[in-house]
Amino acid sequence: MAAHIVTSFDEDLGQINQLIHDMGDLAQLMVTDATRALFDNDAALAQRVVSEDAIMDARQRELDERAITIIALRQPMAQDLRIVVGAIRMAAELERIGDLAKNIAKRVNAVSEGATPKSLSHSIDVMAKLVMNQISEAVSAYEARDEKRLETLRLDDQEIDVQYTSIFRELLTYMMEDPRNITACTHLLFCAKNLERIGDHVTNIAENAYYISTGRQLPLNRPKSDETTVQDPA
Amino acid sequence: MAAHIVTSFDEDLGQINQLIHDMGDLAQLMVTDATRALFDNDAALAQRVVSEDAIMDARQRELDERAITIIALRQPMAQDLRIVVGAIRMAAELERIGDLAKNIAKRVNAVSEGATPKSLSHSIDVMAKLVMNQISEAVSAYEARDEKRLETLRLDDQEIDVQYTSIFRELLTYMMEDPRNITACTHLLFCAKNLERIGDHVTNIAENAYYISTGRQLPLNRPKSDETTVQDPA
């Protein structure tokens, strides 16, 4: 009987982990699609991101309900409980990544009205690729319960922040050069900011996964993000 | 013995609810301080918001740890379990409101370099007041378990979104008029966007509180926010 309960709990956890895995894949896909829609001015692809976000929301609700049912019926303790509570948090982070990707997709129309300079699309593309790698690495390091990789992830977020700061400066110069660029550049600025925020959510996922594996929180002070508020750009 | 356990659980919940209440007060204070710092160009006040955010983070961790302990030791069921899991989510939303207020505070320096036109400060101030009322109403409707007020809150978020869209348009015109305004206006744009996002987090709090009271989720489709991505502003 005890063995039966244990097995069922493992099965429950397996389903939760599968949902996290799927949500991670979906988050990456949404970032890829949203960025492509932005540069190819592809309204249909942008629309697909919006419907992917509905799937993401549904997955999160499903995970939440499963997790709460597990807590209620199986009353897990110690690490098992951490995994279940951690999964709820992780799903919330992934859902927000989906929201941010959707927000990028919704700007496709507004951005298309201006001409995006090549060097700028390149910079944003580099940033998007960094972000996608981070999402995939976060989910995979969580699945491997690899504490070292989780700590590294948090540090790698700085690379995204540096890239964001440089895009911010670049966008300001385009706006100053020609006021007709202002509307499109403002929307691109929010797109870049969304990518930077996705990086922050990945950091949260890493911190949370670290807590699940070790029962300890990573220290509060993490390297901070978004230099544009501190060093005022030209 | 049973009575003893019940009482202790109520005490535990009381502490959790007190933490939510304190975090709500702190969130309002942070928004007030950040907005005042922005308009009075008050670097010391901005610095206070940064330290308030550290308190907010510590409160969230305290609540998380208490909630997990309650789940592990008391194994609450049904509504009690919803309250505890709901409190974890609510604290996460309040913590993010704190982050957004801190982000406004960190832009004080960058904004002070340009001159903010009076009408613009007025619009942002109106938006900040709407947001502060929403935060206080959300926590109070949660405490009263008032489903009607929670539903209304979600609708009221539209008012904040309308205000944001108008500020967005206003800021673009200032940028187009004089390129020297661009840097400051860009930071103000992020400040306004942060207020709009705080409104979204209040909506999440209302949805979550509704779930705690009723066990049902509010329908998925809520009136959507940030019109600037759809109707492209002039």
Side-chain angles (χ1 to χ4, degrees), chain B residues 155-174:
Chain B
L155 293 173
D156 287 349
D157 186 43
Q158 285 178 92
E159 222 181 308
I160 294 174
D161 294 336
V162 168
Q163 188 70 13
Y164 168 70
T165 305
S166 121
I167 291 171
F168 182 89
R169 286 165 189 269
E170 204 175 335
L171 278 166
L172 287 190
T173 61
Y174 286 120

Side-chain angles (χ1 to χ4, degrees), chain A residues 3 8 50 53 62 98 115 122 125 130-131 159 161 165 168 191 216:
Chain A
S8 293
V50 174
D53 189 55
E62 188 187 339
H122 177 73
D125 199 42
L130 283 172
V131 166
E159 223 181 307
D161 295 337
T165 305
F168 181 88
C191 293
R216 283 172 289 115

Side-chain angles (χ1 to χ4, degrees), chain B residues 74-92:
Chain B
R74 308 221 176 257
Q75 304 173 339
M77 305 291 272
Q79 206 203 2
D80 287 342
L81 180 63
R82 280 207 305 273
I83 294 176
V84 180
V85 174
I88 292 177
R89 286 189 199 145
M90 204 108 107

